[in-house]
């Protein structure tokens, strides 16, 4: 097969551009778009094309020769003019105006000079362009149709394809034939695109999470307050004396009484009932509460402690090992408090957080005109999950999810910031710049209940547009807003079952823990989010505390069970009893700070075990007499843990906009804290094979004597 190789200078220029002509029908208008390859049929770069008759009155030289015959006089160079880039603007399209691929039709045409395709959606000059009614290949298609009618049925598709290519090569030169071949390939791609079905994420059959309903009168459950008691007038706490370390003197914990006034003053009294405090200071916007910790208290156990620090953030430059600009805070302790009562400890923290949240927004005029080398804003989204679970299947009876959003920013001058959330009322219809969009991993739209805002937020704008507009405090971490949501998961990260058996003076307690496959982060083992700092607390009556302690050189200590190391009450040869406590993962011992046997696990699932492997805690106790069994036994086992980089409410930050600033570093951190109670099953025996093993005991004292 011989191809015509007489290529003029004009065809050399056509090789560099090598474009196609495809007619698209969009929104009732027919636009002729030239292009080189299908993936770039819509381009936003600077494009080059031949001026259209609308742009310039200049006419191209007419050729009397048919387009099928090589033009010998077609050597004149075609002047290409650089077209100005069209100006684009953000347009809010409704759902009905989405692009429908079924309305796109292709029409092959070779009567135009190949050029780079302008954008048919933005170029106003192509609005009135109509396709050419002249088909320069009409004779070729008529002859091919006649040949196909005369050909026999036995001729295969390969022979027809080779014959068509041979006829086309005779009438076209190499450039035009290559152009036609690419058109045929692109036409197949267009047909495949027509078959694509775009699923709506909001449809009922979509695999994505369901949106929260918009019913205003829908109840979201009670706001559980068993972890956050009601505010009190004061709390009996412990104070470290002396407060500052001194080499020449020892330190100890001394009892005091603390009050928090409505104006935000923390007052320290020597004892309850005194009128004048020995120390008083006011909470300010730069005060922060540290993470709760357990510290040594006495020979019997540890104490819950928390600090109130004055934090000053500064921009610092480091030159080793490489130049770096960081923002870090310098902490100065204002007061450190401790208590052995966990309920009072949680109440103090909650009351101080509410007082800091309600402080008025103040601006430090000395730092208004401060210029930062690197500007950044950090948003922390933390969920607090509280619930009560049923025994056996761990069904959630009551639950509450409270989301706290904190902001820390380093911005030059006073600017307004806008925060966009995945609110079900707007469903992403807000207009923001592309560089303001933050990546999210959820497709759920959430409804926010009982929204509370910091003094720097414009609440009227939020109720109108559902956008959080605020003026951030400079170099100060503060709580921007808080709200309640519905728990977005069907199950918890792991299931826990606790069974207690009391037969006279013999007590057996056992817990089974298994990771839940229904939790979203547990479905994919590669992207599984671990549960950290897991504590499972089994309450112990005050009469049983002495059974979990032993004398040592340094005083009394609690029996501690580890993996492959059991905690025993004594020698099995003398008492004949099996070990007191054992665990298959983590550690377990009695802690006076919680008045319970605390089973601690650093991480779930464990790195050395599979996600579906169950873990067990077992405790066997022989009392001196059945009279030591209390009349009222605790009904619940408490579970508490943290999950990083996850959300219990599926609330997400979709956009962060800073007024007239584009080169700002933006960070969003997610975390969740879970606290819930699981009901304890009380049975006659832990062995299910024994008759009557499933009988539930309402009163432990009704067990038969040993």
């Amino acid at each position: 097969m011989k191809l015509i190789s007489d290529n003029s200078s004009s065809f050399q220029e056509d090789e560099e551009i090598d474009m196609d002509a495809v007619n698209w029908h969009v929104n009732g208008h027919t636009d002729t778009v030239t292009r080189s390859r299908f993936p770039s049929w819509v381009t936003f770069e600077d494009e080059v094309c031949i001026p259209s008759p609308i742009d310039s009155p200049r006419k191209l030289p007419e050729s009397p020769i048919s387009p099928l015959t090589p033009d010998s006089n077609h050597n004149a160079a075609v002047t290409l003019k650089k077209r100005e880039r069209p100006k684009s603007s953000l347009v809010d399209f409704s759902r009905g105006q989405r692009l429908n691929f079924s309305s796109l039709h292709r029409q092959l045409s070779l009567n135009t000079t190949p050029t780079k395709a302008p954008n048919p959606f933005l170029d106003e000059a192509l609005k009135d362009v109509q396709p050419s009614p002249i088909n320069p290949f009409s004779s070729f298609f008529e002859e091919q149709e006649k040949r196909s009618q005369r050909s026999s049925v036995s001729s295969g598709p390969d022979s027809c394809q080779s014959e068509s290519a041979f006829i086309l090569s005779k009438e076209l030169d190499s450039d035009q034939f290559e152009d036609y071949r690419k058109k045929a390939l692109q036409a197949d791609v267009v047909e495949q695109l027509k078959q694509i079905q775009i699923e709506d994420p909001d449809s009922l059959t979509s695999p994505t999470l369901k949106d929260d309903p918009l019913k205003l009168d829908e109840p979201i459950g009670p706001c559980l307050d068993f972890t956050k008691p009601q505010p009190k007038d004061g709390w009996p706490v412990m104070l470290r004396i002396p407060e500052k370390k001194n080499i020449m003197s020892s330190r100890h914990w001394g009892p005091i009484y603390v009050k928090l006034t409505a104006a935000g003053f923390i007052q320290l009294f020597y004892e309850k009932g005194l009128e004048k405090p020995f120390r008083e200071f006011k909470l300010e916007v730069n005060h922060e509460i540290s993470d709760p910790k357990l510290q040594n208290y006495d020979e019997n156990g540890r104490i819950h402690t928390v600090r109130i620090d004055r934090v000053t953030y500064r921009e610092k430059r480091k030159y080793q090992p490489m130049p770096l600009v960081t923002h870090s805070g310098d902490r100065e302790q204002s007061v450190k408090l401790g208590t052995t009562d966990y309920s009072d400890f949680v109440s103090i923290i909650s009351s101080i957080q509410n007082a800091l949240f309600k402080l008025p927004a103040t601006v430090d005029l000395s730092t208004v005109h401060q210029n930062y080398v690197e500007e950044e804003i950090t948003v922390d989204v933390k969920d607090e999950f509280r619930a009560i679970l049923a025994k056996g299947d761990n069904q959630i009876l009551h639950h509450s999810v409270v989301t706290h959003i904190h902001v820390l920013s380093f911005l030059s001058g006073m600017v307004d910031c806008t925060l966009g959330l995945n609110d079900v009322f707007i469903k992403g219809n807000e207009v923001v710049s592309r560089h303001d969009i933050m990546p999210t991993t959820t497709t759920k739209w959430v409804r926010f209940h009982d929204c509370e805002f910091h003094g720097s937020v414009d609440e009227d704008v939020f109720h109108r547009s559902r956008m959080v507009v605020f003026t951030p405090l400079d170099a100060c971490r503060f709580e921007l807003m808080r709200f309640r949501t519905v728990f977005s998961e069907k199950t918890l990260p792991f299931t826990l079952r606790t069974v207690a058996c009391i037969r006279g003076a013999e007590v057996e307690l056992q817990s089974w823990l298994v990771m839940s496959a229904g939790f979203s982060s547990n479905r994919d083992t590669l992207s599984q989010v671990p549960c950290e700092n897991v504590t499972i607390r089994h309450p112990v009556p005050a009469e049983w505390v002495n059974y979990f302690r032993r004398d040592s050189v340094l005083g009394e200590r609690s029996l501690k069970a580890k993996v492959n190391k059991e905690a025993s009450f004594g020698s099995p040869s003398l008492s004949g009893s099996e070990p007191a406590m054992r665990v298959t993962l983590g550690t377990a011992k009695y802690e006076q700070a919680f008045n319970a046997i605390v089973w601690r696990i650093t991480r779930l699932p464990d790195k050395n075990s599979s996600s579906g492997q169950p873990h067990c805690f077992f405790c066997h106790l022989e009392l001196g007499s059945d009279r030591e069994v209390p009349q009222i036994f605790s009904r619940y086992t408490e579970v508490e843990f943290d999950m990083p980089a996850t959300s219990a409410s599926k609330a997400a930050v979709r956009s962060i906009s800073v007024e007239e600033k584009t080169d700002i570093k933006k960070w969003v951190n997610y975390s969740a804290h879970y606290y819930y109670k699981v009901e304890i099953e009380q049975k006659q025996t832990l062995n299910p094979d024994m008759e009557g093993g499933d009988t539930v005991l309402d009163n432990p004292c009704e067990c038969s004597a040993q």
Side-chain angles (χ1 to χ4, degrees):
M1 179 175 62
K2 182 179 180 182
L3 300 176
I4 301 175
S5 61
D6 296 335
N7 298 330
S8 60
S9 60
S10 62
F11 289 105
Q12 294 178 358
E13 186 175 359
D14 295 341
E15 287 180 4
E16 299 176 359
I17 303 175
D18 191 16
M19 315 301 289
D20 303 331
V22 182
N23 294 336
W24 301 85
H25 299 267
V26 183
N27 297 332
H29 298 282
T30 306
D31 298 344
T32 302
V33 182
T34 56
R35 44 167 302 179
S36 60
R37 59 187 183 277
F38 181 76
S40 62
W41 66 279
V42 175
T43 178
F44 298 94
E45 301 174 356
D46 293 339
E47 303 155 347
V48 178
C49 67
I50 295 180
S52 61
I54 301 177
D55 297 334
S56 175
R58 179 180 176 181
K59 297 182 180 180
L60 297 176
E62 299 179 356
S63 176
I65 305 176
S66 173
L68 295 176
T69 306
D71 187 3
S72 61
N73 298 328
H74 195 64
N75 296 330
V78 181
T79 303
L80 299 179
K81 181 181 178 181
K82 185 175 181 180
R83 181 177 62 84
E84 295 181 358
R85 181 175 179 179
K87 298 181 179 179
S88 62
S89 59
L90 294 176
V91 182
D92 187 10
F93 291 98
S94 61
R95 291 185 181 271
Q97 296 176 348
R98 293 179 178 176
L99 182 62
N100 186 7
F101 282 98
S102 62
S103 64
L104 303 179
H105 302 281
R106 60 180 180 87
Q107 292 183 1
L108 301 179
S109 177
L110 294 177
N111 60 343
T112 58
T113 306
T115 58
K116 192 170 183 180
N119 190 345
F121 301 103
L122 301 177
D123 193 2
E124 297 293 337
L126 299 177
K127 181 174 62 175
D128 299 329
V129 175
Q130 299 295 329
S132 175
I134 303 176
N135 189 353
F137 297 99
S138 59
S139 59
F140 165 73
F141 290 113
E142 291 176 359
E143 183 178 356
Q144 186 179 10
E145 186 179 359
K146 293 179 182 180
R147 288 177 178 271
S148 61
Q149 293 177 357
R150 292 196 301 266
S151 61
S152 60
V153 183
S154 61
S155 61
D158 297 337
S159 61
C160 296
Q161 184 177 1
S162 60
E163 185 178 1
S164 302
F166 177 74
I167 296 174
L168 186 61
S169 63
K170 285 184 177 181
E171 299 183 0
L172 301 177
D173 58 1
S174 59
D175 294 336
Q176 292 178 340
F177 179 74
E178 183 68 18
D179 203 13
Y180 175 78
R181 186 184 66 82
K182 290 183 178 180
K183 289 179 182 292
L185 296 177
Q186 294 169 5
D188 296 338
V189 176
V190 175
E191 291 296 335
Q192 295 178 3
L193 286 177
K194 292 180 180 180
Q195 305 299 327
I196 294 178
Q197 297 180 357
I198 302 178
E199 296 184 356
D200 185 5
D202 298 327
S203 62
L204 297 178
T205 59
S206 176
T208 57
L209 297 174
K210 295 183 179 180
D211 302 342
D212 289 347
L214 288 175
K215 297 180 180 179
L216 298 178
D217 56 347
E218 179 197 6
I220 62 171
C223 183
L224 304 180
D225 56 358
F226 52 78
T227 58
K228 291 187 177 182
Q230 297 296 328
K232 300 180 180 179
D233 296 335
W235 304 269
V237 297
M238 297 288 180
L239 182 66
R240 196 73 164 169
I241 302 173
E243 296 189 36
K244 294 184 179 181
K245 294 182 180 179
N246 189 352
I247 301 177
M248 302 302 296
S249 62
S250 61
R251 306 175 69 192
H252 65 280
W253 291 97
I256 62 171
Y257 193 78
V258 175
K259 285 186 177 182
L260 178 62
T261 63
F265 286 89
I266 293 182
Q267 298 176 344
L268 308 181
F269 300 88
Y270 285 115
E271 61 181 13
K272 185 178 180 181
L274 297 180
E275 297 181 359
K276 186 177 181 180
F278 69 89
R279 185 182 172 188
E280 182 182 21
F281 68 95
K282 189 179 187 307
L283 293 176
E284 298 178 357
V285 292
N286 56 356
H287 276 116
E288 294 185 14
I289 301 179
S290 65
D291 296 332
K293 291 184 179 181
L294 285 172
Q295 292 187 357
N296 293 330
Y297 175 57
D298 54 12
E299 64 277 1
N300 294 327
R302 295 187 292 178
I303 187 174
H304 301 281
T305 62
V306 65
R307 296 194 323 270
I308 302 176
D309 300 334
R310 182 188 297 271
V311 186
T312 304
Y313 291 93
R314 292 185 177 90
E315 187 176 57
K316 300 180 181 180
R317 297 186 182 183
K318 296 182 180 180
Y319 298 96
Q320 291 181 357
M322 59 182 298
L324 182 64
V325 178
T326 60
H327 299 96
S328 58
D330 298 331
R331 294 182 174 270
E332 180 184 357
Q333 177 178 319
S334 298
V335 68
K336 183 177 183 179
L337 304 175
T339 178
T340 56
D341 192 339
Y342 186 67
S343 61
D344 286 347
F345 181 69
V346 176
S347 177
I348 293 173
I349 296 177
S350 176
S351 300
I352 296 176
Q353 287 178 346
N354 294 334
L356 292 174
F357 180 65
K358 297 178 181 179
L359 290 178
T362 58
V363 178
D364 189 359
L365 298 179
S366 61
T367 60
V368 169
H369 301 287
Q370 181 178 358
N371 294 325
Y372 294 98
V373 177
E374 288 188 1
E375 297 180 298
E376 67 176 359
I377 181 172
T378 304
V379 179
D380 296 327
V381 182
K382 183 176 181 179
D383 293 335
E384 292 185 0
F385 174 85
R386 303 188 298 274
I388 296 179
L389 274 61
K391 57 185 177 182
D393 56 353
N394 279 184
Q395 182 181 359
I396 300 177
L397 301 179
H398 305 285
H399 81 280
S400 175
V401 181
V402 181
T403 304
H404 303 265
I405 299 181
H406 292 80
V407 175
L408 174 62
S409 62
F410 301 90
L411 305 175
S412 301
M414 295 183 60
V415 294
D416 290 339
C417 299
T418 304
L419 202 70
L421 304 173
N422 55 339
D423 197 337
V424 71
F425 285 97
I426 55 177
K427 287 195 174 183
N429 291 328
E430 67 274 12
V431 179
V432 296
S433 301
R434 180 170 297 182
H435 60 267
D436 294 336
I437 300 176
M438 304 300 297
T440 58
T441 59
T442 180
T443 58
K444 182 182 176 69
W445 302 106
V446 182
R447 183 185 172 207
F448 307 132
H449 304 263
D450 304 335
C451 296
E452 300 180 20
F453 301 95
H454 188 258
S456 61
V457 180
D458 192 343
E459 298 188 23
D460 295 335
V461 176
F462 176 79
H463 294 303
R464 293 196 307 265
S465 62
R466 308 298 294 184
M467 301 292 290
V468 184
V469 180
F470 62 99
T471 304
L473 305 180
D474 182 61
C476 179
R477 188 177 187 270
F478 65 99
E479 185 177 356
L480 179 68
M481 64 179 298
R482 61 176 64 169
F483 51 83
R484 296 176 60 200
T485 56
V486 180
F487 186 49
S488 60
E489 301 284 352
K490 296 182 179 179
T491 60
L492 291 168
F494 57 86
T495 59
L496 179 69
R497 182 183 179 187
T498 303
V499 177
C501 175
I502 302 176
R503 298 190 303 270
E506 186 178 359
V507 178
E508 291 181 350
L509 181 66
Q510 189 168 2
S511 294
W512 297 271
L513 185 151
V514 182
M515 300 301 295
S516 176
F519 195 73
S520 59
S521 65
N522 296 343
R523 296 170 188 170
D524 188 4
T525 56
L526 297 179
S527 61
Q528 189 174 30
V529 179
C531 303
E532 299 179 350
N533 303 323
V534 181
T535 59
I536 302 173
R537 301 191 286 267
H538 304 86
V540 174
E543 298 87 347
W544 299 355
V545 173
N546 294 330
Y547 290 94
F548 296 93
R549 294 186 178 276
R550 286 294 178 267
D551 294 333
S552 64
V553 178
L554 301 178
E556 289 188 353
R557 63 179 181 89
S558 297
L559 297 175
K560 187 175 183 180
K562 299 181 180 179
V563 180
N564 301 326
K565 184 178 179 181
E566 300 165 335
S568 177
F569 285 136
S571 175
S573 60
L574 299 179
S575 62
S577 62
E578 56 184 348
M581 285 189 299
R582 60 173 180 263
V583 290
T584 58
L585 181 65
T587 61
K589 74 172 184 178
Y590 174 80
E591 296 186 12
Q592 186 184 11
F594 297 100
N595 295 325
I597 300 175
V598 182
W599 181 16
R600 293 185 179 273
I601 303 175
T602 305
R603 183 183 185 273
L604 276 178
D606 186 46
K607 296 181 179 179
N608 301 324
S609 60
S610 61
S611 59
Q613 180 179 355
H615 301 284
C616 179
F617 161 81
F618 177 80
C619 177
H620 180 87
L621 181 64
E622 291 185 359
L623 305 177
S625 171
D626 56 354
R627 297 178 181 177
E628 296 183 2
V629 178
Q631 296 290 336
I632 300 176
F633 195 73
S634 179
R635 294 182 53 190
Y636 298 101
T637 298
E638 299 179 355
V639 182
E640 192 169 3
F641 60 91
D642 298 321
M643 289 193 71
T646 187
S647 175
S649 61
K650 294 301 179 182
V653 178
R654 291 176 49 86
S655 63
I656 302 176
S657 304
V658 181
E659 182 182 10
E660 299 179 355
K661 293 180 182 291
T662 58
D663 54 346
I664 297 178
K665 294 183 179 180
K666 304 172 184 177
W667 314 96
V668 180
N669 303 319
Y670 296 93
S671 62
H673 180 78
Y674 290 80
Y675 176 88
Y676 54 89
K677 295 182 178 181
V678 183
E679 190 174 358
I680 299 176
E681 303 178 39
Q682 296 185 2
K683 299 186 178 182
Q684 292 181 353
T685 177
L686 295 179
N687 188 2
D689 298 334
M690 297 182 61
E691 184 178 359
D694 295 337
T695 304
V696 179
L697 301 179
D698 296 333
N699 190 354
C701 297
E702 296 179 358
C703 302
S704 59
Q706 188 176 1

